């Protein structure tokens, strides 16, 4: 009589299905797709950051804030050596060095700091997000047109040329109609 | 009292020789009882007896509270706005910081070797939840996340992202579960409920406004998909910069994986059962209709 919860996928009660159906107007909802329909868009994560490979230090932030800013170490700084970071792919690593010359010091370590918020934890999250952004920017590949794109582009160019010639013909006819031929 | 040669073990012997305790022998410690200042009885209780000099004050005819002598009073001058509109219908959650939780664990008021529930927190006098004041449970807050270091299996009603991260960082498990008013009252005060002799009711499912919260993996809702929860755990570890410990290799894995069914209020007790505290017996229903009702 007692349903064992264990680690099996949960049996979604019918009442919950009814509520979600009303809210999301989906045709069929069962345990497999009920959760995908309400999942939020998650940020794109390219590289898996290993926290033990990063050096994190905390220090006091700058700016106004009285006793809190004077005493509490809220500024977070993360540094890691780029060339030996094998958790980032090779080409991405090189791109990072090229794109972020200003953030890399003489030793070759990438420095990321954040003192945006009052909380040390939030600043640490901000630093990690910045690292994700740097990696994402470095892994961007130039967009290659697919076969469909090429076909569409060719069709459009042909159409443009045809239109141009048609307009040219029309213009020519107008000009010829203004000529007076003395036969 | 006569001087005693010995103290402690011979107290009963001394008591045997002393006169009987009666009202004539008892008196309070000096300074324990201070006589009150009685009005209208001379010196500093008398004369005007604390009423002032003439006027409405002395004659007991002051106007109502809030009256400002004819000037439009503050409570009428300020325009109405719906700040408190529907306040009695808004769900409230008693905050529980990780700092307080660590304090309770350190003092032994909350047992970490068993899953921590709202009942355990109330038994350890960690939180006070008032269901009659629109409380819907406990809200776990990340104040004290830097000093928190305990591996626990905890079930709360709401939890902030930072609190979830702090608990999972230490190898624990956190779930959020919904309790309707009756279930919450029973959860906070189980003994009076058992003494009433009623069968344990089934926990109601959340209303429309709360379904989204409890089916969301990032809130570790009790109605969410376990696979999504696992993915959310990884993402949170990435976001907060810690290595996610593997619970399946833990020795307390069985305890950490204990979770209640969505209709269950207590661990080990199912809806429909009657608990007899006097005879220490549990009565279970056998009728088919009852079984179908309590099993749905």
């Amino acid at each position: 009589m007692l349903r064992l919860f264990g680690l099996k996928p949960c049996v979604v009660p019918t009442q919950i299905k009814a509520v979600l159906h009303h809210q999301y107007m989906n045709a069929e909802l069962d345990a497999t797709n009920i959760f995908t329909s309400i999942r939020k868009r998650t940020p794109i994560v390219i590289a898996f950051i290993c926290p033990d490979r990063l050096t994190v230090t905390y220090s006091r932030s700058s700016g106004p804030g009285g006793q809190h800013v004077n005493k509490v170490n809220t500024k977070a700084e993360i540094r890691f050596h780029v060339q030996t970071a094998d958790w980032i792919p090779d080409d991405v690593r090189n791109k990072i060095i090229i794109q972020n010359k200003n953030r890399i010091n003489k030793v070759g370590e990438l420095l990321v700091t954040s003192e945006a918020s009052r909380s040390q934890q939030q600043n640490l999250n901000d630093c990690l997000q910045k690292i994700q952004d740097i990696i994402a920017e470095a892994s961007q590949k130039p967009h290659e047109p697919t076969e469909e794109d090429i076909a569409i582009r060719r069709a459009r160019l042909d159409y443009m040329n045809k239109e141009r010639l048609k307009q040219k013909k029309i213009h020519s006819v107008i000009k010829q109609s203004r000529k007076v031929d003395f036969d | 009292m006569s001087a005693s040669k010995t103290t402690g073990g011979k107290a009963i012997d001394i008591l045997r020789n002393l006169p009987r305790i009666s009202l004539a022998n008892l008196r309070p410690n000096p300074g324990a009882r201070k006589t009150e200042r009685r009005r209208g009885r001379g010196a500093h209780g008398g004369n005007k007896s604390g009423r002032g000099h003439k006027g409405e004050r002395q004659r007991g005819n002051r106007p109502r509270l809030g009256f400002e002598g004819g000037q439009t009073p503050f409570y009428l001058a300020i325009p109405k706005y719906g700040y408190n509109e529907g306040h009695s219908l808004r769900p409230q959650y008693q905050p529980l910081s990780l700092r307080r939780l660590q304090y309770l664990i350190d003092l032994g008021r909350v047992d970490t070797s068993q899953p921590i529930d709202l009942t355990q927190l109330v038994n350890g006098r960690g939180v006070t939840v008032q269901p009659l004041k629109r409380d819907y449970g406990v809200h776990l807050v990340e104040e004290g996340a830097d000093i928190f270091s305990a591996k626990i299996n905890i079930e709360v009603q709401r939890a902030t992202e930072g609190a979830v991260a702090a608990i999972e960082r230490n190898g624990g498990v956190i779930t959020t579960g919904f309790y309707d008013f009756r279930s919450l009252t029973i959860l906070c005060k189980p003994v009076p409920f058992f003494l009433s002799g009623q069968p344990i009711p089934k926990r109601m499912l959340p209303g429309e406004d709360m379904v989204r919260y409890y089916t969301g993996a990032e809130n570790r809702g009790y109605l969410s998909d376990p696979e999504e929860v696992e993915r959310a755990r990884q993402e949170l570890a990435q976001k907060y910069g810690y290595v996610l410990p593997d619970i399946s290799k833990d020795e307390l894995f069985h305890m950490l994986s204990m979770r209640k069914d969505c209709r269950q209020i207590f661990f080990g007790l199912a809806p429909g059962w009657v608990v007899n505290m006097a005879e220490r017996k549990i009565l279970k229903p056998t009728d088919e209709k009852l079984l179908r009702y309590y099993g749905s």
Side-chain angles (χ1 to χ4, degrees):
Chain A
M1 186 182 68
L2 175 66
R3 282 171 313 161
L4 294 166
F5 195 77
L7 289 172
K8 293 173 275 198
C10 107
V11 176
V12 182
T14 41
Q15 297 90 323
I16 297 291
K17 273 191 220 172
V19 169
L20 288 173
H21 185 274
H22 169 72
Q23 282 185 346
Y24 299 104
M25 301 300 185
N26 270 344
E28 292 166 4
L29 286 175
D30 61 6
T32 50
N33 63 14
I34 203 169
F35 304 109
T36 49
S37 64
I38 57 174
R39 196 194 321 168
K40 285 201 304 243
R41 187 182 66 84
T42 46
I44 300 157
V45 165
I46 310 290
F48 185 84
I49 298 180
C50 311
D52 15 349
R53 300 294 300 271
L54 308 170
T55 316
V56 185
T57 42
Y58 302 110
S59 57
R60 289 191 293 276
S61 302
S62 62
Q67 207 177 49
H68 191 273
V69 81
N70 290 345
K71 292 180 142 187
V72 180
N73 289 347
T74 47
K75 178 174 174 180
E77 184 189 78
I78 300 186
R79 54 174 79 201
F80 63 94
H81 193 238
V82 189
Q83 280 296 16
T84 55
D86 42 2
W87 46 277
I88 316 175
D90 271 334
D91 44 346
V92 178
R93 233 182 286 163
N94 295 331
K95 261 258 165 109
I96 290 176
I97 295 172
I98 296 165
Q99 281 179 347
N100 297 290
K101 272 211 180 67
N102 298 335
R103 286 198 228 244
I104 298 180
N105 65 10
K106 217 176 358 177
V107 191
E109 288 179 336
L110 182 77
L111 251 85
V112 175
T113 60
S114 170
E115 46 176 4
S117 90
R118 284 175 59 109
S119 148
Q120 192 190 71
Q121 192 58 63
Q122 291 298 324
N123 286 339
L124 181 67
N125 295 355
D126 196 24
C127 285
L128 289 164
Q129 189 55 50
K130 281 184 182 170
I131 293 177
Q132 288 283 2
D133 292 339
I134 290 170
I135 296 173
E137 218 188 305
S139 352
Q140 263 176 10
K141 291 186 186 72
H143 173 69
E144 275 170 35
T146 60
E147 280 174 19
E148 243 183 73
D149 290 340
I150 297 169
I152 291 169
R153 185 167 165 80
R154 201 184 311 126
R156 281 189 189 154
L157 283 170
D158 288 343
Y159 183 76
M160 270 158 54
N161 223 14
K162 270 203 200 89
E163 268 299 308
R164 183 183 61 82
L165 291 170
K166 204 160 68 166
Q167 288 297 321
K168 198 168 180 189
K169 274 255 157 41
I170 292 168
H171 186 73
S172 159
V173 162
I174 293 170
K175 292 302 245 183
Q176 279 187 358
S177 68
R178 292 181 190 157
K179 259 194 213 162
V180 175
D181 268 340
F182 297 101
D183 273 8
Chain B
M1 206 175 114
S2 58
S4 54
K5 280 178 274 186
T6 54
T7 52
K10 304 288 170 60
I12 190 84
D13 296 334
I14 300 161
L15 210 59
R16 230 174 256 135
N17 300 326
L18 286 173
R20 170 175 292 219
I21 288 175
S22 71
L23 281 176
N25 304 339
L26 292 170
R27 99 164 82 132
N29 270 332
R33 303 286 165 88
K34 199 165 174 183
T35 47
E36 68 164 5
R37 176 198 195 175
R38 288 174 18 175
R39 303 289 175 173
R41 296 288 183 280
H44 303 292
N47 199 4
K48 295 198 192 50
S49 308
R51 296 292 310 224
H53 178 74
K54 284 187 182 176
E56 287 178 333
R57 292 161 193 245
Q58 196 172 24
R59 293 171 179 134
N61 286 326
R62 267 200 256 215
R64 67 184 179 279
L65 184 68
F67 185 68
E68 287 176 22
Q71 168 181 284
T72 313
F74 173 81
Y75 73 93
L76 289 180
I78 305 299
K80 280 198 204 180
Y81 187 79
Y83 292 112
N84 295 331
E85 190 168 336
H87 73 286
S88 57
L89 301 168
R90 285 184 207 148
Q92 295 179 17
Y93 297 91
Q94 186 70 14
L96 173 68
S97 62
L98 286 172
R99 194 160 156 249
R100 174 118 177 111
L101 187 58
Q102 185 66 56
Y103 173 81
L104 296 169
I105 291 168
D106 290 341
L107 288 175
R109 281 156 70 163
V110 159
D111 186 17
T112 49
S113 65
Q114 293 297 320
I116 296 177
D117 200 5
L118 185 55
T119 322
Q120 308 311 318
L121 290 167
V122 169
N123 287 349
R125 310 292 190 269
V127 285
T128 308
V129 177
Q130 298 170 302
L132 285 164
K133 299 290 177 195
R134 276 72 64 187
D135 275 355
Y136 273 64
V138 143
H139 191 146
L140 200 61
V141 152
E142 68 253 30
E143 164 88 32
D146 42 344
I147 51 160
F148 187 77
S149 57
K151 185 160 56 173
I152 49 171
N153 176 4
I154 188 163
E155 201 214 28
V156 284
Q157 282 67 53
R158 292 261 158 170
T160 56
E161 196 187 47
V164 171
I167 293 197
E168 291 184 346
R169 178 202 295 252
N170 289 303
V173 170
I174 176 162
T175 333
T176 47
F178 174 78
Y179 290 86
D180 56 292
F181 175 74
R182 189 168 176 219
S183 308
L184 189 70
T185 329
I186 294 167
L187 192 67
C188 295
K189 296 183 173 168
V191 175
F193 173 74
F194 293 146
L195 290 171
S196 70
Q198 292 169 45
I200 297 174
K202 36 179 202 179
R203 212 202 310 179
M204 289 295 120
L205 294 167
E208 253 185 72
D209 48 339
M210 299 221 208
V211 158
R212 194 154 201 187
Y213 184 84
Y214 291 108
T215 44
E218 50 286 315
N219 307 318
R220 308 293 186 269
Y222 71 132
L223 296 170
S224 57
D225 195 2
E227 287 165 14
E228 290 228 339
V229 168
E230 191 49 51
R231 215 178 308 139
R233 277 162 57 88
Q234 301 285 350
E235 281 173 13
L236 200 65
Q238 280 284 280
K239 180 172 179 187
Y240 277 73
Y242 59 89
V243 180
L244 188 66
D246 196 359
I247 342 169
S248 53
K249 295 190 180 45
D250 205 325
E251 52 193 11
L252 291 167
F253 174 61
H254 176 73
M255 187 279 285
L256 290 172
S257 58
M258 276 170 80
R259 277 176 52 163
K260 289 184 195 170
D261 186 53
C262 64
R263 293 289 200 186
Q264 195 184 6
I265 300 181
F266 297 108
F267 277 115
L269 293 175
W273 294 2
V274 181
V275 174
N276 188 336
M277 299 278 291
E279 289 171 25
R280 293 176 181 273
K281 285 195 183 133
I282 294 179
L283 308 162
K284 305 181 189 180
T286 48
D287 187 46
E288 192 204 289
K289 281 190 185 153
L290 284 175
L291 288 171
R292 212 179 323 134
Y293 171 73
Y294 283 118
S296 62

